[in-house]
Amino acid sequence: MNQDTSENQPIPEISSEPVADAGAESVENFGDLLAQFEKSHAHPPQAGQRQLEGTVISVSADKVFLDIGYKIEGVLPSSAFDRDAANVVPGQTYPVSITGRNEEGYYDLSRFKVAQPKDWSSLEEAFAQKIAVVGTVTAVVKGGASVDVGVRAFMPASRSGTHDATALEALVGQQITCRITKLDVADENVVVDRRVVLEEQTRMEAEGRYATLKEGDMVTGTVRTFMPYGAFLDLGGVDGLLHVSDIAWTRITKPEDVLAVGQKLEVKILKIDFDTKKISLGLKQLQSEPWLDVPERYQPGQRISGSVTRVTDFGAFVELEPGIEGLIHVSEMSWGKKVRVASDIVKPGERVDAVILSIKPPESPQQAGRIALGLKQTLTDPWTEFAQKFPVGSQVQGPVTKLMAFGAFVQIAEGLEGLVHISEIVPDRRLNHPSEVLHTGQTVQAQILALDAGKRQIKLSMKQLIPTGLDEYIAEHKVGDKVSGRVVTESPVIIELGEGIRAACGMSATPSAQAADAATSTTPAKADLSSLSSMLQARWKGNAPAAATQPEPLQAGQIRTFKITRLDPASKSIEVELA
């Protein structure tokens, strides 16, 4: 039965009968009196519910002390309140339940409604209302543990909130808070669950912790576990993700390379999603941003040296300094050679020289700056040297690297290729495809027709180096030779000197036309008397030449005699005049 706890109760009378040892008697009587006093001021456990009203007495760094009406105060962790009890002040009241005693002698409290059943009716009430109950783990049995909750109950190992058998054995003799999940009065079968209570407590503490956090706060966390994309930190009941990209300004492949489980870190809260309960953390944000003075320390055109950190198909990343990387694109690795993948040129860890092509600072703190680098710019452009060494008209030699429908590509120097158009392969016939006369790897000779270093294009011709009937004809004749030819056209006058060999006739008009012009001329000619007397004297002596006859006019199809006036092997041209 409950007793009156008034402090004005009479002190029990002390017997006045003589005793053998007065000192021992006084000590014994004092102990009895103290026991009676504590008993009179103690609150006997109430049957059923143990929900009490607690009044805040004081608040420490991690605990809140409450007066629960007992001789000894109760204590709650600060995490049981919003914002780690930052708004809790003495005098405030909270409903609490006793869950046990701690090592310091204080009552451990819970803000959960906890019952301490004494009979089956109180067990049934706690089961119906899903109220947590207090029990003592008495022994580890097969599949779980035995718990005294007023009657013997069974707690499955999977619902004990422990990770292994050793942790489960450590609960023996301890008082726990659990919830009844099965109650059969007839068979006296009771099953309890501690894990669900722990999860609810953790969830309540986490919700209170979430309310205390805001973006931009600096918090201390403990590294709990690693994932390929980052590390999870315990922020005091809630987890935050420190992404691998936010650990340091330098590139980090795996978070465990620079962090360790259990390590404490001061981090910055970057983002909180209250709907998904996700917190993003940053460690590098507490360090100086290396990009702040990059534009002052690096300029386009500057030659730098760095280490290749990683290689992708499209290029290689080079570290100029911690936190500052540049990209060498595959198109900037070679002047002439077509690089398909960057790993054909550079390897991770290799130190290279490069030239800064452009710098783009980050537009926002969430973005990274970009530096474009060039590897080929540190080398002499082979196109410049080639153009000086091999002008247009030069002969080159090299293997066929690729055949296309429109022509063949020929390697004429390291990293330099030229194109032989299909019309420039053979002189005597038309090809449907270069493969009719060429194959990949075949070494050929060609003549440079055109070279454009700006467009990186070289036009070649093979047929220009193949001897033809025209070449042989020019080689076998000289200016002044008289040859026979057939008139092909009259305007302009084209003479065919052989099969496939044609020449231009230097006559501006046919003889018949010249004669017609002379006959129709109305301008009188001035007489040359000295010439006339000479002609008469010569004719009188009988040795004057006969009157000159006009040559027959040139007409298409005629075969006439001509004199070569010009031979040009370079342009493969011939000019003649009527002999």
Side-chain angles (χ1 to χ4, degrees):
M1 294 180 63
N2 294 339
Q3 297 178 355
D4 185 7
T5 59
S6 174
E7 296 182 0
N8 297 321
Q9 291 183 0
I11 299 176
E13 295 182 357
I14 300 176
S15 175
S16 60
E17 295 180 1
V19 291
D21 191 344
E25 181 181 3
S26 62
V27 172
E28 182 180 354
N29 291 338
F30 180 77
D32 292 341
L33 291 174
L34 180 61
Q36 291 180 23
F37 178 80
E38 289 182 349
K39 182 177 180 181
S40 65
H41 284 72
H43 289 261
Q46 299 178 7
Q49 306 298 325
R50 292 194 66 195
Q51 193 79 0
L52 305 173
E53 190 76 13
T55 303
V56 177
I57 300 174
S58 63
V59 180
S60 68
D62 57 350
K63 296 177 182 178
V64 177
F65 296 89
L66 299 95
D67 180 9
I68 55 175
Y70 286 21
K71 182 175 69 72
I72 300 175
E73 292 83 6
V75 64
L76 276 170
S78 299
S79 58
F81 299 88
D82 292 343
R83 300 185 61 187
D84 279 346
N87 297 328
V88 176
V89 295
Q92 291 179 328
T93 60
Y94 297 91
V96 294
S97 300
I98 298 176
T99 61
R101 296 280 288 270
N102 61 22
E103 297 178 353
E104 299 174 352
Y106 293 103
Y107 287 103
D108 282 328
L109 304 179
S110 171
R111 296 186 67 181
F112 284 95
K113 190 175 183 179
V114 181
Q116 190 171 26
K118 293 298 182 182
D119 52 26
W120 284 102
S121 61
S122 58
L123 285 173
E124 289 177 327
E125 183 181 357
F127 176 65
Q129 297 183 13
K130 296 183 179 181
I131 299 174
V133 299
V134 176
T136 302
V137 180
T138 58
V140 175
V141 297
K142 184 178 180 180
S146 178
V147 182
D148 182 7
V149 292
V151 299
R152 184 177 180 275
F154 173 70
M155 179 174 65
S158 62
R159 308 306 302 175
S160 66
T162 59
H163 300 289
D164 50 35
T166 303
L168 182 60
E169 291 177 356
L171 291 178
V172 176
Q174 293 189 19
Q175 198 173 51
I176 63 172
T177 304
C178 52
R179 180 173 293 165
I180 301 173
T181 57
K182 182 179 180 181
L183 179 66
D184 190 334
V185 178
D187 294 339
E188 296 185 357
N189 185 13
V190 182
V191 179
V192 296
D193 186 338
R194 175 173 177 254
R195 177 178 169 182
V196 67
V197 175
L198 295 177
E199 290 174 349
E200 289 182 1
Q201 290 177 340
T202 301
R203 184 166 55 254
M204 288 184 62
E205 292 175 359
E207 290 176 355
R209 180 61 172 155
Y210 272 114
T212 67
L213 302 175
K214 61 180 181 297
E215 295 180 3
D217 282 353
M218 306 298 178
V219 295
T220 300
T222 304
V223 178
R224 186 174 60 83
T225 185
F226 292 118
M227 298 296 288
Y229 49 83
F232 283 96
L233 273 64
D234 181 5
L235 304 179
V238 297
D239 280 352
L241 173 62
L242 177 59
H243 196 271
V244 66
S245 62
D246 289 312
I247 295 177
W249 292 110
T250 56
R251 185 173 298 276
I252 296 174
T253 304
K254 297 186 296 182
E256 53 265 41
D257 290 342
V258 295
L259 302 177
V261 173
Q263 180 179 357
K264 291 188 178 295
L265 300 172
E266 184 178 5
V267 293
K268 181 178 182 179
I269 298 178
L270 304 180
K271 185 178 181 181
I272 300 178
D273 190 331
F274 291 98
D275 295 331
T276 61
K277 304 297 183 183
K278 292 182 179 179
I279 301 176
S280 298
L281 306 174
L283 181 61
K284 73 178 184 182
Q285 285 74 11
L286 302 182
Q287 304 167 2
S288 176
E289 164 64 80
W291 266 92
L292 291 177
D293 58 348
V294 163
E296 286 74 29
R297 294 185 290 111
Y298 296 99
Q299 292 82 34
Q302 180 180 348
R303 184 164 180 155
I304 56 90
S305 179
S307 178
V308 178
T309 56
R310 59 194 178 105
V311 177
T312 65
D313 289 344
F314 58 83
F317 289 89
V318 178
E319 185 181 55
L320 282 63
E321 62 179 72
I324 304 297
E325 282 187 340
L327 172 65
I328 305 177
H329 194 268
V330 288
S331 62
E332 301 295 340
M333 290 187 172
S334 175
W335 285 111
K337 182 179 179 182
K338 186 175 182 180
V339 182
R340 303 195 177 196
V341 291
S343 57
D344 292 342
I345 304 298
V346 295
K347 305 295 181 184
E350 181 180 352
R351 193 157 191 88
V352 297
D353 290 334
V355 173
I356 297 177
L357 304 180
S358 64
I359 299 176
K360 184 179 181 182
E363 297 179 357
S364 66
Q366 290 74 27
Q367 293 182 338
R370 297 180 181 179
I371 298 179
L373 303 176
L375 186 63
K376 67 184 182 182
Q377 284 75 9
T378 62
L379 307 173
T380 303
D381 187 351
W383 283 86
T384 303
E385 295 182 349
F386 184 84
Q388 297 174 353
K389 188 176 180 181
F390 296 95
V392 174
S394 301
Q395 294 185 20
V396 293
Q397 178 177 305
V400 177
T401 59
K402 184 166 53 177
L403 296 177
M404 305 294 289
F406 54 82
F409 287 93
V410 178
Q411 182 179 354
I412 55 181
E414 180 65 29
L416 297 180
E417 286 185 344
L419 172 64
V420 181
H421 193 268
I422 190 172
S423 62
E424 294 293 333
I425 295 177
V426 293
D428 54 351
R429 60 192 175 102
R430 181 174 180 178
L431 301 178
N432 294 320
H433 196 276
S435 59
E436 295 178 18
V437 294
L438 298 175
H439 62 269
T440 303
Q442 178 181 350
T443 300
V444 298
Q445 290 185 337
Q447 184 180 42
I448 298 177
L449 298 181
L451 189 150
D452 190 334
K455 296 182 179 180
R456 309 292 180 181
Q457 293 179 351
I458 301 176
K459 295 181 180 180
L460 304 175
S461 175
M462 291 173 57
K463 74 178 185 180
Q464 300 295 331
L465 301 180
I466 299 176
T468 62
L470 178 59
D471 295 325
E472 295 176 354
Y473 190 92
I474 293 176
E476 294 173 356
H477 293 77
K478 63 182 182 297
V479 175
D481 287 354
K482 291 185 178 182
V483 294
S484 296
R486 181 173 66 87
V487 179
V488 179
T489 61
E490 297 181 22
S491 181
V493 180
I494 302 299
I495 310 300
E496 184 178 36
L497 303 178
E499 184 178 357
I501 304 172
R502 295 189 176 188
C505 184
M507 297 177 60
S508 59
T510 60
S512 58
Q514 292 176 356
D517 289 343
T520 58
S521 177
T522 58
T523 304
K526 185 177 180 180
D528 186 354
L529 298 179
S530 60
S531 176
L532 180 59
S533 60
S534 298
M535 290 174 59
L536 292 175
Q537 183 177 4
R539 189 162 187 176
W540 178 76
K541 293 181 178 181
N543 56 359
T549 59
Q550 294 293 336
E552 183 180 353
L554 290 175
Q555 295 181 0
Q558 286 183 340
I559 297 177
R560 305 289 293 270
T561 300
F562 299 90
K563 182 172 70 174
I564 298 176
T565 59
R566 183 173 177 271
L567 293 172
D568 190 347
S571 62
K572 299 182 184 295
S573 61
I574 303 175
E575 293 182 5
V576 299
E577 65 180 12
L578 193 61

